[in-house]
Amino acid sequence: MNRVAVVGGGTMGCGIALAVAAAGFEVTVVEPDGAAAARASERIAKDALRMNAAAAPERISVARTISELSGFDLAIEAVPEDLQLKEQIFLALEKTLGAQAVLATNTSSLSVSAIADAMEHPRRLIGLHFFNPANVMRLVEVVRGERSDDAAVAIGKAFVESLGKTAVVAADTPGFIVNRVARPYYLQSLYALEEEVGEPADLDAFARGAGFRMGPFELMDLIGLDVNYAVSQSVFSQMEEVRLAPVALQAEMVERGELGRKSGHGFYQYDPSGKRIDDATPPAAPLGPMAAPETIALLGYGPLAGDLAIRLENASAKFQQIALDDQIADLDLQATTIVLDAGDGASDRTEFLIALERTLPQDVILLVDAYATLISRLIEKCKHPERVVGFGILGSLDHQDVVEIVDLDATSDEALELAEEFFGALGKRVQLVGDGPGLFLGRVIGSVINEAIYAVQEHVASADDVDAAMRLGMNYPLGPIEWGREIGAPRVARILTQLAHERGMEFGPARALWVLNVDNSQPPDIVAQMGEASPLVTSSEGEKQR
Ligand code: NAD
């Protein structure tokens, strides 16, 4: 293959043409609109300089109609998102290009199979879904339509790799991989905002602290709330899954013309040059070593407790780790100033903690893993609710700079300050958040992991391809499946089960979540509590879990 046609010289067409020419192919861009064609040439020349590919534009020519094309092995369509228009383009391409040519659509939201319906030879059509800017982004989803030929898919994949990009093969399902698996990142953030879990700037800071390149609100402002909303609507209208339904708040903002950066107003305000006016003050740096020497009892085992123990050791804190099943009557906590309960990372600890709290001297602070236990419910039964502080650390502390701290009216300032000091000594910043299932990060990241698992379960793509797609297409710090493994299936399931209690069962854990648990060292009783192993886990693995 050496000659490639790109139909449509807009945002995507220009980026694709440049990426293809930079890899050494001859490219012809078909653009019927004279003004758009001139803009395309300018844009390609400018972007080529930026990517140090000054010679690439010499390999790009512009044509006005498809009938001018001949001798092309591959054509990539990037015209506006309109089914009828795309059908016409492919009928014209079929007539003009030889039978050996592979045809590809860059559609984001239409079904490749639906576009193929109008074609005489639908087997030649695949999706090649580039990301914007196409000359920069490394990911391309190669979409296999219902009738796409295996050979056409293989050619598409090899072609993408010859551009130096990563190809992931996706089934022809709504949103393919990236636009689908990313939905809960926005939707759950919008719900959290509606429920006053935090302000956009705080929630964005949590997301960045967890390694996302951009927080959900600044990202929606950048994408455009209307564009983001349209993608949610499109995926939802095709899938009709309640968990993917667009959120009313976003619809209202779009209605009011609050579209984000391009309209000067979205979740943040912008000046005419697009610069944020209300630039938030950066969160304070973590505090140094603790002012007073605290004596810490760390209750629990599992990855979270283990991680905390290592860090406490490194911070030279005085602490003892106490196994989960120690009887309260046997615990000697009289000399302790902080009791930190990490539980097993997945079980509700309300009953245990209520009983424990009653035995603690009044000045002992109780720090509780708020992803497993709902703090507002716990404190209802506590003798001294003011000393109970919920914290949120989702997976490894390595991947989370900011610890969520539950902000309740009942909590004393002293307890919050001590929590800040405690996590500061471990090198972490803290930020207050409203109570609720999974606080902010647990709910958002847990729901993204869940959607990724649904996608794998429904054979949209392999687990490795879903992970690669989210890392490269969305700059996620970890693929959602590997992230789920790190956090542990029982912990993710616990968060989603609580979310389901609050929002409805549609938001609960996918059955196949248990496939993550295969390599997990969680104690078997937790798994038994959470329900049966998934059909994706072989029966012997299922037995092991139980
Ligand atoms: P765009 O509006 O920037 O560009 C479309 C171009 O197609 C325009 O220049 C237009 O003049 C041209 N065109 C219209 N009719 C044509 C015809 N009959 N023949 C040839 N050219 C014609 O749109 P875009 O953002 O580049 O999107 C193009 C496609 O890529 C859409 O299917 C979109 O869903 C998809 N996509 C867009 C993005 C993105 O971020 N913009 C990302 C991935 C995929």
Side-chain angles (χ1 to χ4, degrees), residues 6-14 16 29-34 36-37 39-40 43 63-66 77-82 85-86 88-89 105-110 128-133 179 227:
V6 175
V7 184
T11 307
M12 294 308 291
C14 288
I16 295 168
V29 176
V30 180
E31 175 56 68
D33 177 332
R39 275 198 306 274
R43 184 170 174 168
R64 298 300 278 270
T65 65
I66 288 173
E77 164 278 312
V79 303
E81 195 76 329
D82 171 333
L85 175 62
K86 289 188 194 275
Q88 286 167 19
I89 300 284
T105 171
N106 186 48
T107 183
S108 302
S109 63
L110 299 172
L128 285 181
H129 185 223
F130 288 77
F131 290 77
N132 188 17
N179 278 338
V227 173

Side-chain angles (χ1 to χ4, degrees), residues 208-211 298 303-315 340 342 371 391-405 422-430 441 478 483 486-487 491:
R208 270 185 268 105
L298 169 58
L304 174 61
D307 202 9
L308 285 165
I310 291 168
R311 288 183 189 258
L312 286 166
E313 226 156 69
N314 291 343
L340 174 70
Y371 291 147
F391 67 89
I393 298 169
L394 192 54
S396 160
L397 266 171
D398 289 341
H399 294 133
Q400 196 173 325
D401 289 341
V402 189
V403 175
E404 304 191 73
I405 294 288
F422 174 84
F423 289 108
L426 304 186
K428 300 294 156 183
R429 290 184 275 127
V430 304
L441 289 178
L478 288 174
W483 213 338
E486 181 195 287
I487 298 165
R491 188 163 174 76

